[in-house]
Amino acid sequence: IKRLIESGEAGQGEVVVLMESRSAMATYREELLRLGLDAVSDGGEDWWQRIEVVDLLSHLRLLANRADDRNLLAALRSPLCAIGVDALALLGGEKARDGVRDLDEAFENCAAKEREPETPAAAIGANDHERLVAYRKLLRGWTPLASELSVGDLLEHVIDSSSYAAILLAGEDGEQKLANVRQLAAMAHAWDLRHGGSLRAFLAWVDEASGPSSQETDAPVGGAIDTDGKPDPNGPVRLMTIHASKGLEYPVVVVPRLGGGVKRDDAMIR
């Protein structure tokens, strides 16, 4: 693959590696990265557990239900807020204070510009307080849109308004993480077209799609297809299962491990 790309016979994004299963996909991708090539792999059951996917879904789940303590905590620890563990502990202390109904009210108290003196909220440091204020502003801007926009458009707005793409690209393995985010957005748009409905309905679909019996997770990670639906020569090498490749066309197709299942000593293929 490296020789084909360096000779100019093919662009990176014109190459696809097809595999029978995902079991060795990470090994091949790591080797391509070691050789200095960009590479993204398709989804899988574990794709839904990738941190960038979980982070984005936590914000959507919070928009669907502000009383969801688990996803509020996940959202506050995600890169879009990123408060420290000390601030989280003080948030818990604020929730335990007399007169504070729930974690959402504690969050509002901690993010208030004027915090009540001598309370856990007031003890949160300046940096974490600024992050809480900024995230509350984002959340308030997203809330009315949750019932006005399609899920795909809402997700795109969350990504754009929070500069999430830039945050991912600034970190380790940013290209792959951004590809996963694009894939989630593409799935949301596809769901809008096929089903449509509320944010809660989409999240219910996600819960079903991320289960072990679902085939939805076989969809390849985005980021390598141009606007005309053809492979982008400047995109990354793609690794995907043979099943996931149905209906796609690539100038260069690599199929490794053809002899992996041959056990006879006199086999012609190795």
Side-chain angles (χ1 to χ4, degrees), residues 28-238:
Y28 279 79
R29 177 174 171 268
E30 288 171 6
E31 181 62 15
L32 288 168
L33 294 174
R34 188 187 69 80
L35 292 172
L37 303 176
D38 294 330
V40 294
S41 57
D42 78 340
E45 188 177 333
D46 62 342
W47 182 85
W48 293 98
Q49 302 306 316
R50 292 172 182 169
I51 188 63
E52 60 276 9
V53 175
V54 174
D55 280 345
L56 269 182
L57 288 174
S58 70
H59 300 291
L60 294 187
R61 293 184 191 280
L62 184 59
L63 286 172
N65 180 13
R66 283 293 297 267
D68 188 333
D69 289 359
R70 177 181 177 182
N71 281 293
L72 173 56
L73 293 173
L76 296 180
R77 282 291 285 163
S78 80
L80 301 193
C81 184
I83 61 172
V85 292
D86 290 343
L88 276 184
L90 289 168
L91 176 65
E94 182 67 18
K95 178 188 175 183
R97 204 161 59 85
D98 289 342
V100 178
R101 296 186 304 273
D102 52 29
L103 191 65
D104 186 53
E105 183 178 349
F107 162 62
E108 290 288 344
N109 292 347
C110 292
K113 290 186 178 181
E114 298 295 333
R115 292 168 286 173
E116 187 176 335
E118 299 183 2
T119 63
I124 291 177
N127 288 339
D128 281 325
H129 181 245
E130 287 180 8
R131 292 173 179 175
L132 287 167
V133 171
Y135 182 70
R136 184 179 65 168
K137 182 178 179 179
L138 284 174
L139 193 60
R140 287 181 172 180
W142 298 337
T143 298
L145 299 178
S147 59
E148 297 173 3
L149 299 179
S150 66
V151 178
D153 287 345
L154 174 64
L155 186 52
E156 295 274 13
H157 179 76
V158 169
I159 294 168
D160 292 343
S161 62
S162 63
S163 301
Y164 194 43
I167 292 172
L168 292 177
L169 289 174
E172 184 179 357
D173 207 14
E175 290 286 351
Q176 174 67 67
K177 290 179 178 179
L178 181 56
N180 291 336
V181 165
R182 287 173 173 161
Q183 170 66 5
L184 182 60
M187 292 171 75
H189 284 300
W191 182 87
D192 288 327
L193 291 174
R194 288 199 307 268
H195 308 288
S198 68
L199 177 57
R200 287 176 181 266
F202 171 75
L203 293 171
W205 175 83
V206 167
D207 290 338
E208 182 179 353
S210 58
S213 62
S214 173
Q215 294 300 314
E216 291 288 347
T217 52
D218 281 333
V221 171
I225 298 296
D226 216 338
T227 54
D228 59 2
K230 298 179 180 179
D232 177 6
N234 298 315
V237 176
R238 298 181 78 176

